[in-house]
Amino acid sequence: MGTLLDFLIWVRVKLSVYFSILIHFCCNLENILSIKALKGFKDILPDEVGLWQFIEQTARDIFHRYGFEEIKVPILEKTELFVRTIGASTDIVEKEMYTFADRNGSSITMRPEGTASVIRSYIENGLYVRGSVQRLYTIGPMFRHERPQKGRMRQFHQMSVEALGSNSARIDTEVMAMAWQILQEIGLQASLEINSLGCTACRPSFKEALQGFLQVRIQNLCEDCQRRSSTNPLRVLDCKSEHCQAQYVSAPSITDHLCGACSDHFEDVKQTLSLLAVPYAVNAKMVRGLDYYTRTTFELLTTELGAQGAIGAGGRYDGLVRQLGGPEVPGIGFAMGMERLVMLLSQKDKIETRPVLDLFLITLGETAYEKGFILLQMLRSQGLRVMMDHEGRSMKNQMKQADRQNAGFALILGENELVNREAVLKDMHSGEQELVELTPAFEDWAGAVLAKIKQLQ
Ligand code: ATP
Ligand code: MG
């Protein structure tokens, strides 16, 4: 009797242990499943990645044609770098930066844009000794704490370029022509708007005229503009409020305040853009949101993305390198937002991306599978993109996989084929089939398959 009771207690204890493990597992499972990406942060899934690669490869190719070299800079920098370059009273620094205390208490920031880091690296690594003009580009994620919406993310990606070391208006034109060419070659329509913000010699007189204009209307302006009229008056021209914009129609124009040198520079930019047949329009109200700009500024705009119409923007920043402790080196750059380019392209006709796989290797039977596994490696070493099934699926099922993977060809290797020393190569698009002779020397098989594929292509 005692042993039966012991047994029942034992069963009860065991059951309650199993039950609590089950409950724990279920609760955790729920936790695991409920973890989602952060708001404004997005996965770029395999189905979308083809477009990203297409844009990036086209841009890289164009950057190289224009003599730009890639530079990779860190995502985290000292907060001070961005405050000093972008400007303390800009939207980015005032409200958009991801800033944290590092473990040692120092303030660090996830880069909200690329220029500041590239200039820091240019100075720190003395890149100016490589040659008088350095053409650099970088591609990667940026971080801004903005309200997420269509075309506006908290982690987004930019391709940005910087040309450092020349004052020539021709560099401005080359850089804008390059941005224009990228849009042309990826197949997007946009308009190019340009302006000149003058230099330290002429901008103060414009600032003064603008402040005078704003002072008279200060009560009629939005809160942001009221504040900015004293902290950063140029930025009011960028205000999104229609009410403010209606009043700025009669605001003084920067182009009337440019000094001789800036005016000549701007004329040169316009003339050389026309020379290269790059269409543009002057927008004297475009001021850009960052403090470091001087002279030429520009934006690439589309009407197809609603409020998020800017797909790229940039300008000259002649005092920035000096301001960060480097030599007196002028510069110009721009950044294009990848998300907006991808969105625009995905609204258009589907872009043909190359087949994901060159070949799917179908094997039937143990011997064919073992041979096939080594052949798979040999074909990959020859440069082919090849896959095979490891789950012992039927021929029909493997063929379906080949189809799903968008394979260009399927190679069928079965016991009979091994006996007859030949495999069947099927063109998955035309359905055409050819026999590949399998020589006694196994190491020649990959070459024979490759030769047959070339013959069929
Ligand atoms: P916007 O006026 O749309 O806020 P911006 O002036 O802040 O743009 P820049 O700092 O000049 O933009 O960045 C250049 C490009 O980077 C923009 O033209 C845009 O394509 C892209 N971009 C900027 N912020 C974002 C974001 N939060 N999400 C996605 N793309 C962005
Ligand atoms: Mg912005």
Side-chain angles (χ1 to χ4, degrees), residues 87-304:
S89 62
T90 55
D91 275 356
I92 295 183
V93 173
E94 273 181 352
K95 41 190 176 189
E96 295 173 0
M97 291 207 305
Y98 276 90
T99 296
F100 312 99
D102 201 354
R103 287 180 181 272
N104 64 4
S106 60
S107 181
I108 52 174
T109 294
M110 293 173 80
R111 60 179 190 194
E113 56 108 45
T115 303
S117 312
V118 172
I119 305 293
R120 196 247 334 115
S121 171
Y122 172 84
I123 299 169
E124 189 173 336
N125 297 293
L127 294 185
Y128 36 87
V129 299
R130 294 173 81 230
S132 58
V133 180
Q134 292 297 303
R135 297 170 179 235
L136 307 167
Y137 77 88
T138 191
I139 302 178
M142 304 296 160
F143 303 84
R144 296 185 194 174
H145 197 278
E146 300 193 72
R147 194 167 66 78
Q149 51 196 293
K150 189 179 167 201
R152 193 172 294 285
M153 303 294 296
R154 289 180 172 172
Q155 175 177 331
F156 62 100
H157 299 76
Q158 282 184 340
M159 304 189 286
S160 62
V161 312
E162 320 296 338
L164 294 149
S166 174
N167 276 309
S168 169
R170 302 279 164 131
I171 290 280
D172 305 36
T173 295
E174 268 198 53
V175 161
M176 286 186 270
M178 181 168 77
W180 186 251
Q181 186 140 7
I182 293 174
L183 297 178
Q184 296 282 296
E185 290 194 22
I186 62 178
L188 290 178
Q189 296 286 327
S191 56
L192 170 65
E193 291 191 354
I194 65 169
N195 194 17
S196 174
L197 294 184
C199 62
T200 45
C202 52
R203 206 184 307 174
S205 90
F206 172 64
K207 247 185 178 173
E208 210 177 292
L210 185 62
Q211 270 177 323
F213 171 88
L214 295 171
Q215 221 43 57
V216 183
R217 296 159 178 82
I218 198 85
Q219 299 307 332
N220 284 330
L221 305 179
C222 74
E223 245 175 60
D224 267 354
C225 285
Q226 289 189 1
R227 187 167 46 85
R228 285 193 173 130
S229 66
S230 53
T231 58
N232 198 347
L234 263 67
R235 287 298 318 282
V236 303
L237 298 176
D238 222 13
C239 178
K240 301 267 187 299
S241 146
E242 280 178 21
H243 180 70
C244 291
Q245 279 304 336
Q247 303 186 65
Y248 300 151
V249 173
S250 54
S253 172
I254 178 96
T255 35
D256 297 333
H257 288 261
L258 296 180
C259 62
C262 286
S263 177
D264 289 350
H265 194 269
F266 195 39
E267 279 311 308
D268 215 354
V269 168
K270 290 189 279 185
Q271 268 176 27
T272 48
L273 278 174
S274 302
L275 214 58
L276 301 190
V278 177
Y280 68 88
V282 174
N283 174 0
K285 296 256 161 18
M286 187 226 301
V287 287
R288 305 292 309 123
L290 297 84
D291 274 1
Y292 53 59
Y293 286 123
T294 51
R295 293 194 167 170
T296 315
T297 50
F298 62 98
E299 277 186 354
L300 293 151
L301 303 158
T302 160
T303 49
E304 292 171 49

Side-chain angles (χ1 to χ4, degrees), residues 296-451:
T296 315
T297 50
F298 62 98
E299 277 186 354
L300 293 151
L301 303 158
T302 160
T303 49
E304 292 171 49
L305 288 177
Q308 274 57 253
I311 44 182
R316 235 178 211 284
Y317 43 78
D318 291 345
L320 189 59
V321 179
R322 178 99 211 102
Q323 187 194 318
L324 281 181
E328 192 69 57
V329 170
I332 176 162
F334 72 82
M336 274 196 199
M338 294 284 291
E339 277 74 6
R340 296 188 193 173
L341 296 177
V342 169
M343 269 172 64
L344 284 166
L345 270 190
S346 55
Q347 290 170 10
K348 309 239 169 273
D349 294 343
K350 205 168 158 26
I351 290 175
E352 247 337 294
T353 44
R354 289 177 64 202
V356 178
L357 268 195
D358 294 311
L359 181 82
F360 196 93
L361 185 50
I362 296 176
T363 65
L364 296 162
E366 193 57 33
T367 323
Y369 175 67
E370 289 306 333
K371 284 260 179 221
F373 187 57
I374 303 166
L375 182 60
L376 174 79
Q377 183 74 355
M378 292 184 341
L379 286 165
R380 285 172 175 166
S381 305
Q382 297 260 2
L384 285 195
R385 292 171 293 186
V386 197
M387 293 258 285
M388 74 184 292
D389 170 69
H390 293 304
E391 317 307 321
R393 293 201 170 91
S394 69
M395 161 96 172
K396 194 172 151 206
N397 216 306
Q398 291 185 58
M399 200 50 102
K400 263 196 200 153
Q401 278 187 68
D403 224 25
R404 225 178 291 132
Q405 305 266 359
N406 201 10
F409 293 89
L411 185 76
I412 303 154
L413 197 63
E415 306 294 328
N416 283 346
E417 281 81 1
L418 287 180
V419 171
N420 298 334
R421 296 210 165 279
E422 57 194 15
V424 179
L425 182 70
K426 181 176 176 188
D427 183 324
M428 295 297 287
H429 300 305
S430 66
E432 201 182 330
Q433 297 199 9
E434 286 272 338
L435 289 178
V436 184
E437 197 188 328
L438 302 174
T439 54
F442 180 54
E443 57 276 16
D444 296 335
W445 286 17
V449 174
L450 204 66

